[in-house]
Short mmCIF file of all heavy atoms in Angstrom, two decimals:
data_model
loop_
_atom_site.label_atom_id
_atom_site.label_comp_id
_atom_site.label_asym_id
_atom_site.label_seq_id
_atom_site.Cartn_x
_atom_site.Cartn_y
_atom_site.Cartn_z
N MET A 1470 22.37 29.05 -60.12
CA MET A 1470 22.63 29.86 -58.99
C MET A 1470 21.78 29.36 -57.79
O MET A 1470 22.15 29.42 -56.68
CB MET A 1470 22.33 31.31 -59.27
CG MET A 1470 22.68 32.31 -58.20
SD MET A 1470 24.45 32.23 -57.59
CE MET A 1470 25.28 32.72 -59.02
N SER A 1471 20.57 28.95 -58.11
CA SER A 1471 19.68 28.49 -57.00
C SER A 1471 20.24 27.18 -56.41
O SER A 1471 20.08 26.94 -55.22
CB SER A 1471 18.30 28.29 -57.44
OG SER A 1471 18.22 27.31 -58.49
N ASP A 1472 20.92 26.34 -57.23
CA ASP A 1472 21.53 25.15 -56.67
C ASP A 1472 22.68 25.49 -55.63
O ASP A 1472 22.81 24.78 -54.66
CB ASP A 1472 22.16 24.29 -57.81
CG ASP A 1472 21.07 23.70 -58.68
OD1 ASP A 1472 19.91 23.56 -58.21
OD2 ASP A 1472 21.38 23.37 -59.88
N ALA A 1473 23.42 26.57 -55.98
CA ALA A 1473 24.44 26.97 -54.98
C ALA A 1473 23.87 27.39 -53.71
O ALA A 1473 24.36 27.08 -52.59
CB ALA A 1473 25.30 28.12 -55.59
N ALA A 1474 22.72 28.12 -53.70
CA ALA A 1474 22.05 28.62 -52.52
C ALA A 1474 21.54 27.41 -51.71
O ALA A 1474 21.65 27.36 -50.48
CB ALA A 1474 20.91 29.56 -52.85
N VAL A 1475 20.94 26.42 -52.45
CA VAL A 1475 20.38 25.26 -51.77
C VAL A 1475 21.52 24.47 -51.14
O VAL A 1475 21.36 23.96 -50.02
CB VAL A 1475 19.58 24.47 -52.71
CG1 VAL A 1475 19.13 23.07 -52.10
CG2 VAL A 1475 18.35 25.20 -53.18
N SER A 1476 22.59 24.33 -51.79
CA SER A 1476 23.69 23.53 -51.26
C SER A 1476 24.36 24.21 -50.09
O SER A 1476 24.94 23.55 -49.23
CB SER A 1476 24.82 23.25 -52.30
OG SER A 1476 25.47 24.46 -52.68
N LEU A 1477 24.23 25.50 -49.98
CA LEU A 1477 24.74 26.24 -48.78
C LEU A 1477 23.67 26.39 -47.67
O LEU A 1477 23.91 27.03 -46.69
CB LEU A 1477 25.17 27.63 -49.16
CG LEU A 1477 26.41 27.73 -50.04
CD1 LEU A 1477 26.67 29.13 -50.55
CD2 LEU A 1477 27.60 27.16 -49.32
N LEU A 1478 22.54 25.72 -47.93
CA LEU A 1478 21.38 25.81 -46.99
C LEU A 1478 20.87 27.25 -46.78
O LEU A 1478 20.54 27.62 -45.66
CB LEU A 1478 21.71 25.12 -45.63
CG LEU A 1478 22.09 23.69 -45.72
CD1 LEU A 1478 22.54 23.16 -44.45
CD2 LEU A 1478 21.03 22.83 -46.35
N ALA A 1479 20.98 28.01 -47.81
CA ALA A 1479 20.54 29.44 -47.74
C ALA A 1479 19.32 29.58 -48.61
O ALA A 1479 19.03 28.73 -49.48
CB ALA A 1479 21.58 30.39 -48.31
N SER A 1480 18.51 30.62 -48.33
CA SER A 1480 17.38 30.96 -49.12
C SER A 1480 17.78 31.35 -50.52
O SER A 1480 18.81 32.05 -50.67
CB SER A 1480 16.58 32.01 -48.41
OG SER A 1480 15.44 32.33 -49.16
N VAL A 1481 17.00 31.05 -51.48
CA VAL A 1481 17.35 31.35 -52.89
C VAL A 1481 17.16 32.88 -53.21
O VAL A 1481 17.96 33.44 -53.89
CB VAL A 1481 16.44 30.50 -53.86
CG1 VAL A 1481 16.70 30.90 -55.28
CG2 VAL A 1481 16.75 29.02 -53.65
N ALA A 1482 16.18 33.50 -52.58
CA ALA A 1482 15.82 34.88 -52.90
C ALA A 1482 17.01 35.86 -52.63
O ALA A 1482 17.32 36.69 -53.50
CB ALA A 1482 14.58 35.37 -52.17
N PRO A 1483 17.57 35.81 -51.44
CA PRO A 1483 18.68 36.76 -51.23
C PRO A 1483 19.89 36.53 -52.15
O PRO A 1483 20.53 37.48 -52.59
CB PRO A 1483 19.10 36.63 -49.76
CG PRO A 1483 18.54 35.37 -49.35
CD PRO A 1483 17.34 35.07 -50.23
N VAL A 1484 20.18 35.30 -52.48
CA VAL A 1484 21.29 35.03 -53.38
C VAL A 1484 21.02 35.62 -54.77
O VAL A 1484 21.85 36.23 -55.41
CB VAL A 1484 21.57 33.46 -53.43
CG1 VAL A 1484 22.62 33.17 -54.50
CG2 VAL A 1484 21.98 32.97 -52.12
N LEU A 1485 19.80 35.39 -55.25
CA LEU A 1485 19.45 35.96 -56.61
C LEU A 1485 19.34 37.47 -56.59
O LEU A 1485 19.78 38.13 -57.57
CB LEU A 1485 18.10 35.33 -57.05
CG LEU A 1485 18.12 33.83 -57.33
CD1 LEU A 1485 16.72 33.41 -57.73
CD2 LEU A 1485 19.11 33.46 -58.38
N MET A 1486 18.96 38.08 -55.46
CA MET A 1486 18.94 39.51 -55.40
C MET A 1486 20.37 40.05 -55.36
O MET A 1486 20.58 41.11 -55.93
CB MET A 1486 18.23 39.96 -54.16
CG MET A 1486 16.65 39.80 -54.26
SD MET A 1486 15.98 40.49 -55.77
CE MET A 1486 16.39 42.20 -55.58
N LEU A 1487 21.29 39.34 -54.72
CA LEU A 1487 22.70 39.74 -54.75
C LEU A 1487 23.27 39.74 -56.17
O LEU A 1487 23.94 40.61 -56.54
CB LEU A 1487 23.47 38.87 -53.79
CG LEU A 1487 24.95 39.17 -53.72
CD1 LEU A 1487 25.13 40.62 -53.13
CD2 LEU A 1487 25.65 38.20 -52.86
N VAL A 1488 22.92 38.70 -56.90
CA VAL A 1488 23.37 38.61 -58.29
C VAL A 1488 22.74 39.75 -59.14
O VAL A 1488 23.44 40.35 -59.94
CB VAL A 1488 23.00 37.23 -58.95
CG1 VAL A 1488 23.26 37.18 -60.38
CG2 VAL A 1488 23.81 36.12 -58.21
N ALA A 1489 21.51 40.01 -58.93
CA ALA A 1489 20.81 41.16 -59.72
C ALA A 1489 21.46 42.50 -59.32
O ALA A 1489 21.73 43.35 -60.17
CB ALA A 1489 19.35 41.14 -59.36
N ALA A 1490 21.74 42.71 -58.01
CA ALA A 1490 22.37 43.97 -57.61
C ALA A 1490 23.77 44.11 -58.17
O ALA A 1490 24.24 45.18 -58.56
CB ALA A 1490 22.38 44.06 -56.04
N ALA A 1491 24.50 43.03 -58.19
CA ALA A 1491 25.87 43.09 -58.82
C ALA A 1491 25.83 43.36 -60.23
O ALA A 1491 26.68 44.12 -60.77
CB ALA A 1491 26.60 41.75 -58.47
N GLY A 1492 24.88 42.79 -60.93
CA GLY A 1492 24.74 43.06 -62.32
C GLY A 1492 24.36 44.51 -62.67
O GLY A 1492 24.67 45.09 -63.70
N ALA A 1493 23.66 45.14 -61.74
CA ALA A 1493 23.23 46.50 -61.92
C ALA A 1493 24.34 47.53 -61.49
O ALA A 1493 24.21 48.74 -61.76
CB ALA A 1493 21.94 46.82 -61.13
N ALA A 1494 25.41 47.11 -60.89
CA ALA A 1494 26.47 47.95 -60.41
C ALA A 1494 27.51 48.23 -61.48
O ALA A 1494 28.69 47.94 -61.32
CB ALA A 1494 27.07 47.41 -59.18
N SER A 1495 27.12 48.80 -62.56
CA SER A 1495 28.01 49.02 -63.73
C SER A 1495 28.29 50.54 -63.80
O SER A 1495 27.78 51.22 -64.62
CB SER A 1495 27.40 48.54 -65.02
OG SER A 1495 26.13 49.03 -65.18
N PHE A 1496 29.11 51.00 -62.90
CA PHE A 1496 29.44 52.40 -62.84
C PHE A 1496 30.82 52.76 -63.35
O PHE A 1496 31.19 53.95 -63.37
CB PHE A 1496 29.30 52.90 -61.40
CG PHE A 1496 28.08 52.59 -60.72
CD1 PHE A 1496 28.04 51.83 -59.57
CD2 PHE A 1496 26.85 53.11 -61.22
CE1 PHE A 1496 26.85 51.58 -58.95
CE2 PHE A 1496 25.64 52.87 -60.61
CZ PHE A 1496 25.68 52.00 -59.45
N LEU A 1497 31.66 51.80 -63.64
CA LEU A 1497 33.10 52.06 -63.85
C LEU A 1497 33.54 52.39 -65.25
O LEU A 1497 34.65 52.82 -65.45
CB LEU A 1497 33.89 50.87 -63.34
CG LEU A 1497 33.78 50.57 -61.82
CD1 LEU A 1497 34.51 49.37 -61.44
CD2 LEU A 1497 34.21 51.73 -61.01
N THR A 1498 32.66 52.18 -66.26
CA THR A 1498 33.09 52.48 -67.61
C THR A 1498 32.01 53.21 -68.33
O THR A 1498 30.79 53.05 -68.04
CB THR A 1498 33.34 51.17 -68.42
OG1 THR A 1498 32.20 50.42 -68.45
CG2 THR A 1498 34.44 50.36 -67.72
N PRO A 1499 32.31 53.97 -69.39
CA PRO A 1499 31.37 54.69 -70.13
C PRO A 1499 30.51 53.71 -71.05
O PRO A 1499 29.43 54.07 -71.48
CB PRO A 1499 32.12 55.67 -70.99
CG PRO A 1499 33.48 55.09 -71.10
CD PRO A 1499 33.68 54.37 -69.83
N ILE A 1500 31.03 52.53 -71.30
CA ILE A 1500 30.28 51.57 -72.10
C ILE A 1500 29.30 50.66 -71.29
O ILE A 1500 28.68 49.81 -71.86
CB ILE A 1500 31.23 50.72 -72.97
CG1 ILE A 1500 32.21 50.01 -72.08
CG2 ILE A 1500 32.00 51.57 -73.99
CD1 ILE A 1500 33.08 48.98 -72.76
N ALA A 1501 29.25 50.97 -70.01
CA ALA A 1501 28.45 50.11 -69.14
C ALA A 1501 26.90 50.31 -69.42
O ALA A 1501 26.13 49.37 -69.36
CB ALA A 1501 28.70 50.41 -67.68
N THR A 1502 26.48 51.53 -69.63
CA THR A 1502 25.08 51.78 -69.85
C THR A 1502 24.89 52.78 -71.00
O THR A 1502 25.82 53.60 -71.23
CB THR A 1502 24.41 52.44 -68.58
OG1 THR A 1502 25.02 53.70 -68.30
CG2 THR A 1502 24.57 51.50 -67.37
N PRO A 1503 23.75 52.79 -71.64
CA PRO A 1503 23.58 53.73 -72.68
C PRO A 1503 23.64 55.16 -72.22
O PRO A 1503 24.11 56.07 -72.91
CB PRO A 1503 22.17 53.45 -73.19
CG PRO A 1503 21.95 51.99 -72.86
CD PRO A 1503 22.74 51.77 -71.58
N ALA A 1504 23.16 55.45 -71.03
CA ALA A 1504 23.21 56.83 -70.47
C ALA A 1504 24.67 57.35 -70.36
O ALA A 1504 24.94 58.54 -70.64
CB ALA A 1504 22.49 56.89 -69.13
N ASN A 1505 25.56 56.46 -69.93
CA ASN A 1505 26.94 56.84 -69.84
C ASN A 1505 27.53 57.21 -71.25
O ASN A 1505 28.32 58.18 -71.38
CB ASN A 1505 27.77 55.75 -69.24
CG ASN A 1505 27.54 55.56 -67.73
OD1 ASN A 1505 26.89 56.36 -67.14
ND2 ASN A 1505 28.09 54.53 -67.20
N MET A 1506 27.16 56.42 -72.25
CA MET A 1506 27.63 56.72 -73.59
C MET A 1506 27.07 58.02 -74.12
O MET A 1506 27.74 58.74 -74.83
CB MET A 1506 27.25 55.56 -74.55
CG MET A 1506 28.13 54.31 -74.32
SD MET A 1506 29.88 54.57 -74.56
CE MET A 1506 29.87 54.85 -76.35
N ILE A 1507 25.84 58.32 -73.79
CA ILE A 1507 25.21 59.55 -74.30
C ILE A 1507 25.83 60.76 -73.78
O ILE A 1507 26.08 61.75 -74.49
CB ILE A 1507 23.71 59.54 -73.96
CG1 ILE A 1507 22.95 58.47 -74.80
CG2 ILE A 1507 23.04 60.91 -74.19
CD1 ILE A 1507 21.57 58.21 -74.34
N VAL A 1508 26.28 60.83 -72.54
CA VAL A 1508 26.84 62.01 -71.90
C VAL A 1508 28.37 62.06 -72.00
O VAL A 1508 28.98 63.14 -71.73
CB VAL A 1508 26.45 62.16 -70.43
CG1 VAL A 1508 24.99 62.21 -70.24
CG2 VAL A 1508 27.05 61.01 -69.58
N LYS A 1509 28.94 61.02 -72.54
CA LYS A 1509 30.49 60.99 -72.61
C LYS A 1509 31.03 62.11 -73.51
O LYS A 1509 31.82 62.95 -73.07
CB LYS A 1509 30.98 59.66 -73.05
CG LYS A 1509 32.49 59.56 -73.10
CD LYS A 1509 32.91 58.18 -73.56
CE LYS A 1509 34.40 58.08 -73.57
NZ LYS A 1509 35.09 58.88 -74.60
N GLU A 1510 30.60 62.20 -74.73
CA GLU A 1510 31.12 63.16 -75.66
C GLU A 1510 30.65 64.59 -75.39
O GLU A 1510 31.49 65.50 -75.26
CB GLU A 1510 30.75 62.74 -77.09
CG GLU A 1510 31.50 61.55 -77.61
CD GLU A 1510 33.05 61.69 -77.63
OE1 GLU A 1510 33.46 62.75 -77.96
OE2 GLU A 1510 33.68 60.75 -77.29
N PRO A 1511 29.36 64.82 -75.24
CA PRO A 1511 28.89 66.24 -74.94
C PRO A 1511 29.44 66.78 -73.62
O PRO A 1511 29.75 68.01 -73.53
CB PRO A 1511 27.36 66.11 -74.86
CG PRO A 1511 27.02 64.87 -75.50
CD PRO A 1511 28.16 63.94 -75.43
N GLY A 1512 29.68 65.93 -72.67
CA GLY A 1512 30.25 66.34 -71.38
C GLY A 1512 31.72 66.50 -71.38
O GLY A 1512 32.33 67.00 -70.42
N GLY A 1513 32.38 65.97 -72.41
CA GLY A 1513 33.81 66.04 -72.49
C GLY A 1513 34.57 65.15 -71.50
O GLY A 1513 35.68 65.36 -71.10
N TYR A 1514 33.88 64.09 -71.19
CA TYR A 1514 34.50 63.11 -70.26
C TYR A 1514 35.46 62.19 -70.96
O TYR A 1514 35.28 61.84 -72.13
CB TYR A 1514 33.40 62.23 -69.59
CG TYR A 1514 32.45 63.04 -68.77
CD1 TYR A 1514 31.06 63.08 -69.13
CD2 TYR A 1514 32.82 63.71 -67.64
CE1 TYR A 1514 30.17 63.82 -68.37
CE2 TYR A 1514 31.92 64.46 -66.86
CZ TYR A 1514 30.60 64.49 -67.24
OH TYR A 1514 29.71 65.22 -66.54
N ARG A 1515 36.48 61.73 -70.24
CA ARG A 1515 37.42 60.72 -70.74
C ARG A 1515 37.06 59.41 -70.13
O ARG A 1515 36.30 59.35 -69.12
CB ARG A 1515 38.84 61.12 -70.40
CG ARG A 1515 39.31 62.41 -71.02
CD ARG A 1515 40.63 62.71 -70.48
NE ARG A 1515 40.64 62.49 -69.07
CZ ARG A 1515 41.45 62.94 -68.18
NH1 ARG A 1515 42.43 63.67 -68.51
NH2 ARG A 1515 41.37 62.67 -66.87
N PHE A 1516 37.59 58.35 -70.62
CA PHE A 1516 37.38 57.00 -70.10
C PHE A 1516 37.72 56.89 -68.63
O PHE A 1516 37.00 56.37 -67.80
CB PHE A 1516 38.12 56.00 -70.92
CG PHE A 1516 37.68 54.56 -70.71
CD1 PHE A 1516 36.68 54.04 -71.42
CD2 PHE A 1516 38.25 53.75 -69.74
CE1 PHE A 1516 36.19 52.77 -71.30
CE2 PHE A 1516 37.82 52.48 -69.52
CZ PHE A 1516 36.81 51.98 -70.29
N GLY A 1517 38.86 57.52 -68.22
CA GLY A 1517 39.29 57.42 -66.84
C GLY A 1517 38.46 58.24 -65.84
O GLY A 1517 38.47 58.00 -64.65
N ASP A 1518 37.72 59.18 -66.38
CA ASP A 1518 36.85 60.00 -65.48
C ASP A 1518 35.75 59.15 -64.87
O ASP A 1518 35.34 59.36 -63.70
CB ASP A 1518 36.18 61.17 -66.20
CG ASP A 1518 37.17 62.17 -66.77
OD1 ASP A 1518 38.25 62.29 -66.12
OD2 ASP A 1518 36.81 62.87 -67.72
N TYR A 1519 35.34 58.09 -65.48
CA TYR A 1519 34.31 57.20 -65.02
C TYR A 1519 34.79 56.43 -63.82
O TYR A 1519 34.05 56.06 -62.91
CB TYR A 1519 33.75 56.31 -66.05
CG TYR A 1519 32.88 57.06 -67.05
CD1 TYR A 1519 33.38 57.72 -68.16
CD2 TYR A 1519 31.48 57.14 -66.87
CE1 TYR A 1519 32.57 58.38 -69.04
CE2 TYR A 1519 30.72 57.76 -67.72
CZ TYR A 1519 31.22 58.41 -68.77
OH TYR A 1519 30.43 59.10 -69.69
N TRP A 1520 36.07 56.08 -63.80
CA TRP A 1520 36.66 55.32 -62.69
C TRP A 1520 36.63 56.15 -61.36
O TRP A 1520 36.45 55.61 -60.28
CB TRP A 1520 38.14 54.94 -63.00
CG TRP A 1520 38.13 53.69 -63.79
CD1 TRP A 1520 38.09 53.53 -65.15
CD2 TRP A 1520 38.22 52.35 -63.25
NE1 TRP A 1520 38.08 52.22 -65.47
CE2 TRP A 1520 38.18 51.44 -64.36
CE3 TRP A 1520 38.26 51.85 -61.97
CZ2 TRP A 1520 38.28 50.14 -64.19
CZ3 TRP A 1520 38.31 50.48 -61.87
CH2 TRP A 1520 38.25 49.64 -62.91
N ARG A 1521 36.93 57.45 -61.51
CA ARG A 1521 36.98 58.25 -60.29
C ARG A 1521 35.68 58.26 -59.50
O ARG A 1521 35.66 57.95 -58.31
CB ARG A 1521 37.34 59.71 -60.69
CG ARG A 1521 38.65 60.11 -60.14
CD ARG A 1521 39.00 61.53 -60.47
NE ARG A 1521 39.64 61.48 -61.75
CZ ARG A 1521 39.52 62.31 -62.69
NH1 ARG A 1521 38.68 63.27 -62.55
NH2 ARG A 1521 40.18 62.22 -63.84
N LEU A 1522 34.60 58.58 -60.17
CA LEU A 1522 33.27 58.59 -59.45
C LEU A 1522 32.67 57.16 -59.36
O LEU A 1522 32.05 56.79 -58.43
CB LEU A 1522 32.34 59.49 -60.15
CG LEU A 1522 30.95 59.58 -59.54
CD1 LEU A 1522 31.08 60.09 -58.04
CD2 LEU A 1522 30.06 60.55 -60.31
N GLY A 1523 32.99 56.34 -60.39
CA GLY A 1523 32.45 54.95 -60.41
C GLY A 1523 32.91 54.12 -59.26
O GLY A 1523 32.14 53.30 -58.77
N LEU A 1524 34.15 54.31 -58.89
CA LEU A 1524 34.66 53.51 -57.75
C LEU A 1524 33.99 53.84 -56.43
O LEU A 1524 33.67 52.99 -55.70
CB LEU A 1524 36.20 53.72 -57.65
CG LEU A 1524 36.98 52.71 -56.96
CD1 LEU A 1524 36.78 51.31 -57.52
CD2 LEU A 1524 38.48 53.03 -56.94
N ILE A 1525 33.68 55.13 -56.29
CA ILE A 1525 32.95 55.59 -55.11
C ILE A 1525 31.58 55.05 -55.11
O ILE A 1525 31.04 54.53 -54.08
CB ILE A 1525 32.98 57.11 -54.97
CG1 ILE A 1525 34.40 57.61 -54.78
CG2 ILE A 1525 32.09 57.59 -53.92
CD1 ILE A 1525 34.55 59.05 -55.06
N LEU A 1526 30.87 55.10 -56.24
CA LEU A 1526 29.56 54.59 -56.36
C LEU A 1526 29.49 53.13 -56.14
O LEU A 1526 28.53 52.58 -55.52
CB LEU A 1526 28.92 54.96 -57.75
CG LEU A 1526 28.51 56.41 -57.91
CD1 LEU A 1526 28.10 56.66 -59.34
CD2 LEU A 1526 27.36 56.72 -56.96
N ALA A 1527 30.48 52.43 -56.69
CA ALA A 1527 30.49 50.93 -56.55
C ALA A 1527 30.69 50.52 -55.11
O ALA A 1527 30.08 49.56 -54.58
CB ALA A 1527 31.57 50.28 -57.43
N ALA A 1528 31.60 51.26 -54.38
CA ALA A 1528 31.75 51.04 -52.95
C ALA A 1528 30.48 51.22 -52.15
O ALA A 1528 30.09 50.50 -51.29
CB ALA A 1528 32.93 51.80 -52.42
N ALA A 1529 29.80 52.38 -52.47
CA ALA A 1529 28.55 52.68 -51.79
C ALA A 1529 27.49 51.63 -52.10
O ALA A 1529 26.70 51.22 -51.23
CB ALA A 1529 28.05 54.05 -52.21
N TRP A 1530 27.44 51.20 -53.39
CA TRP A 1530 26.50 50.16 -53.80
C TRP A 1530 26.74 48.87 -53.01
O TRP A 1530 25.79 48.18 -52.60
CB TRP A 1530 26.60 49.95 -55.34
CG TRP A 1530 25.59 49.09 -55.96
CD1 TRP A 1530 25.77 47.76 -56.24
CD2 TRP A 1530 24.33 49.43 -56.30
NE1 TRP A 1530 24.65 47.32 -56.85
CE2 TRP A 1530 23.69 48.29 -56.93
CE3 TRP A 1530 23.56 50.55 -56.24
CZ2 TRP A 1530 22.46 48.27 -57.38
CZ3 TRP A 1530 22.29 50.59 -56.75
CH2 TRP A 1530 21.72 49.41 -57.33
N LEU A 1531 27.99 48.52 -52.87
CA LEU A 1531 28.35 47.34 -52.09
C LEU A 1531 27.89 47.38 -50.65
O LEU A 1531 27.31 46.42 -50.11
CB LEU A 1531 29.94 47.13 -52.11
CG LEU A 1531 30.46 45.98 -51.26
CD1 LEU A 1531 29.97 44.63 -51.85
CD2 LEU A 1531 31.93 46.05 -51.21
N VAL A 1532 28.13 48.52 -50.03
CA VAL A 1532 27.71 48.72 -48.61
C VAL A 1532 26.15 48.62 -48.54
O VAL A 1532 25.62 47.93 -47.66
CB VAL A 1532 28.19 50.03 -48.06
CG1 VAL A 1532 27.61 50.32 -46.68
CG2 VAL A 1532 29.68 50.02 -47.94
N VAL A 1533 25.46 49.31 -49.39
CA VAL A 1533 23.98 49.33 -49.29
C VAL A 1533 23.37 47.96 -49.54
O VAL A 1533 22.54 47.52 -48.78
CB VAL A 1533 23.43 50.40 -50.30
CG1 VAL A 1533 21.91 50.24 -50.49
CG2 VAL A 1533 23.79 51.78 -49.86
N THR A 1534 23.91 47.26 -50.59
CA THR A 1534 23.30 45.90 -50.87
C THR A 1534 23.71 44.95 -49.83
O THR A 1534 22.89 44.10 -49.44
CB THR A 1534 23.80 45.43 -52.23
OG1 THR A 1534 25.22 45.43 -52.27
CG2 THR A 1534 23.28 46.25 -53.35
N THR A 1535 24.87 45.06 -49.24
CA THR A 1535 25.35 44.14 -48.16
C THR A 1535 24.46 44.28 -46.94
O THR A 1535 24.12 43.33 -46.23
CB THR A 1535 26.77 44.35 -47.79
OG1 THR A 1535 27.58 44.21 -48.98
CG2 THR A 1535 27.24 43.37 -46.74
N LEU A 1536 24.03 45.55 -46.66
CA LEU A 1536 23.17 45.83 -45.53
C LEU A 1536 21.71 45.50 -45.75
O LEU A 1536 21.01 45.00 -44.87
CB LEU A 1536 23.38 47.26 -45.04
CG LEU A 1536 24.75 47.61 -44.50
CD1 LEU A 1536 24.85 49.12 -44.17
CD2 LEU A 1536 25.06 46.82 -43.25
N LEU A 1537 21.23 45.85 -46.90
CA LEU A 1537 19.71 45.82 -47.14
C LEU A 1537 19.27 44.40 -47.58
O LEU A 1537 18.14 44.03 -47.16
CB LEU A 1537 19.36 46.87 -48.15
CG LEU A 1537 19.32 48.29 -47.72
CD1 LEU A 1537 18.77 49.16 -48.82
CD2 LEU A 1537 18.40 48.42 -46.50
N ILE A 1538 20.06 43.70 -48.33
CA ILE A 1538 19.54 42.42 -48.86
C ILE A 1538 19.27 41.47 -47.67
O ILE A 1538 18.19 40.81 -47.72
CB ILE A 1538 20.51 41.77 -49.86
CG1 ILE A 1538 20.42 42.58 -51.15
CG2 ILE A 1538 20.27 40.34 -50.11
CD1 ILE A 1538 21.41 42.19 -52.27
N PRO A 1539 20.10 41.24 -46.71
CA PRO A 1539 19.75 40.38 -45.60
C PRO A 1539 18.55 40.92 -44.73
O PRO A 1539 17.88 40.08 -44.15
CB PRO A 1539 21.00 40.34 -44.73
CG PRO A 1539 22.10 40.77 -45.59
CD PRO A 1539 21.46 41.75 -46.56
N LEU A 1540 18.37 42.24 -44.78
CA LEU A 1540 17.20 42.75 -43.99
C LEU A 1540 15.85 42.45 -44.69
O LEU A 1540 14.86 42.10 -44.01
CB LEU A 1540 17.34 44.23 -43.84
CG LEU A 1540 18.38 44.65 -42.82
CD1 LEU A 1540 18.47 46.21 -42.72
CD2 LEU A 1540 18.19 44.12 -41.39
N VAL A 1541 15.89 42.60 -46.00
CA VAL A 1541 14.59 42.42 -46.80
C VAL A 1541 14.33 40.93 -47.08
O VAL A 1541 13.18 40.47 -47.00
CB VAL A 1541 14.66 43.23 -48.04
CG1 VAL A 1541 13.45 43.04 -48.90
CG2 VAL A 1541 14.86 44.73 -47.78
N TRP A 1542 15.41 40.22 -47.44
CA TRP A 1542 15.30 38.77 -47.72
C TRP A 1542 16.20 38.01 -46.80
O TRP A 1542 17.39 37.76 -47.16
CB TRP A 1542 15.73 38.57 -49.20
CG TRP A 1542 14.85 39.14 -50.17
CD1 TRP A 1542 13.67 38.67 -50.63
CD2 TRP A 1542 15.03 40.34 -50.85
NE1 TRP A 1542 13.14 39.56 -51.55
CE2 TRP A 1542 13.94 40.60 -51.76
CE3 TRP A 1542 16.04 41.34 -50.83
CZ2 TRP A 1542 13.85 41.72 -52.48
CZ3 TRP A 1542 15.96 42.48 -51.66
CH2 TRP A 1542 14.88 42.63 -52.49
N PRO A 1543 15.73 37.66 -45.61
CA PRO A 1543 16.59 36.91 -44.68
C PRO A 1543 17.08 35.55 -45.26
O PRO A 1543 16.42 34.90 -45.99
CB PRO A 1543 15.69 36.68 -43.49
CG PRO A 1543 14.49 37.53 -43.69
CD PRO A 1543 14.40 37.84 -45.12
N LEU A 1544 18.28 35.19 -44.80
CA LEU A 1544 18.79 33.93 -45.26
C LEU A 1544 18.08 32.85 -44.45
O LEU A 1544 17.95 31.72 -44.80
CB LEU A 1544 20.34 33.84 -44.91
CG LEU A 1544 21.18 34.84 -45.73
CD1 LEU A 1544 22.60 34.78 -45.21
CD2 LEU A 1544 21.15 34.36 -47.19
#
């Protein structure tokens, strides 16, 4: 990944932070995190319920990371 940043003449830190933020954006399925699996059965959630709120959270996560990463780690 750092080779891709270097070939684009970009700083390595923001590219790696973007990859880390994308990896942490696992809101769409109950199998994404242990906490999601723990609350699925007791809460009576179905697999599709995670998509409803997860899509909103993923969109918000995209906006926040797109705005904050260049501010904290300039290219």
Side-chain angles (χ1 to χ4, degrees):
M1470 186 56 63
S1471 62
D1472 291 337
V1475 171
S1476 68
L1477 293 172
L1478 302 175
S1480 178
V1481 175
V1484 173
L1485 293 178
M1486 288 309 299
L1487 181 62
V1488 170
S1495 54
F1496 306 118
L1497 298 176
T1498 64
I1500 57 174
T1502 64
N1505 287 353
M1506 287 298 293
I1507 290 171
V1508 299
K1509 183 179 181 293
E1510 291 299 321
Y1514 299 116
R1515 297 174 317 198
F1516 195 87
D1518 293 336
Y1519 286 86
W1520 275 88
R1521 243 181 272 140
L1522 183 58
L1524 200 56
I1525 296 167
L1526 284 173
W1530 188 260
L1531 174 68
V1532 170
V1533 168
T1534 56
T1535 303
L1536 294 174
L1537 286 182
I1538 288 175
L1540 289 176
V1541 178
W1542 295 279
L1544 293 172

